[in-house]
Amino acid sequence: MAEPAAVEFRIDRRSGVATYLQIVQQTKQALRLGVLEPGDRLPTAREVVEATAINPNTVLKAYRELEREGLVEARRGLGTFVRRTLGSAAVTTDPPLRAELTEWTRRARAAGLDRDDMSALFNDVLDSTSKGEPHS
């Protein structure tokens, strides 16, 4: 059997986000960042259960959702495999852009912002710039 791709699901039981959606979101993030690529095998439900102590049906629900979206495919007796990636090649091939974002994150942490604060600020800027609004 093929080795699973190097993706480890982290479940935050206090986040308010359904566990299966956390798996879906983390899989999509791994697809966008190039951690998962077409042909990679996702961890089996059993492997995810052992690593996270969640119900196997939750893992299967997440994998069915990813399959419904056309991102993965289940192969009977073999596992669940990535069909396509998400995002742009620039996400993984533009080290200067990542370095700038890393530096911005360090400055934001030094200014006392937590993860939620940074996410809110980033999304606000992203939303306003995608609408063509100037942002100061």
Side-chain angles (χ1 to χ4, degrees):
M1 185 183 294
E3 286 295 312
V7 63
E8 294 180 22
F9 297 114
R10 294 165 311 285
I11 304 304
D12 181 355
R13 287 165 170 72
R14 298 168 301 178
S15 73
V17 176
T19 304
Y20 88 96
L21 282 178
Q22 291 183 49
I23 293 172
V24 169
Q25 292 167 349
Q26 290 174 34
T27 302
K28 288 179 176 181
Q29 181 174 350
L31 290 167
R32 280 190 178 86
L33 295 175
V35 173
L36 288 174
E37 297 180 342
D40 286 346
R41 182 174 72 81
L42 294 181
T44 65
R46 180 179 302 210
E47 291 165 338
V48 176
V49 167
E50 288 173 1
T52 61
I54 62 174
N55 187 303
N57 290 328
T58 302
V59 181
L60 296 174
K61 182 176 182 180
Y63 284 10
R64 280 192 304 271
E65 175 64 20
L66 292 164
E67 190 168 16
R68 188 187 67 72
E69 293 182 28
L71 299 174
V72 302
E73 67 179 331
R75 298 181 192 158
R76 192 161 183 82
L78 297 175
T80 303
F81 293 82
V82 174
R83 289 186 63 197
R84 66 182 178 89
T85 190
L86 291 172
S88 148
V91 171
T92 57
T93 60
D94 192 342
L97 192 58
R98 185 177 188 96
E100 288 176 34
L101 190 53
T102 300
E103 180 54 32
W104 178 86
T105 303
R106 286 190 185 113
R107 289 195 330 266
R109 283 197 195 286
L113 276 65
D114 67 14
R115 182 184 193 94
D116 291 337
D117 295 334
M118 285 185 269
S119 181
L121 179 58
F122 181 82
N123 286 324
D124 181 54
V125 171
L126 184 62
D127 290 345
S128 65
T129 58
S130 64
K131 294 175 188 168
E133 299 172 9
H135 205 82
S136 53

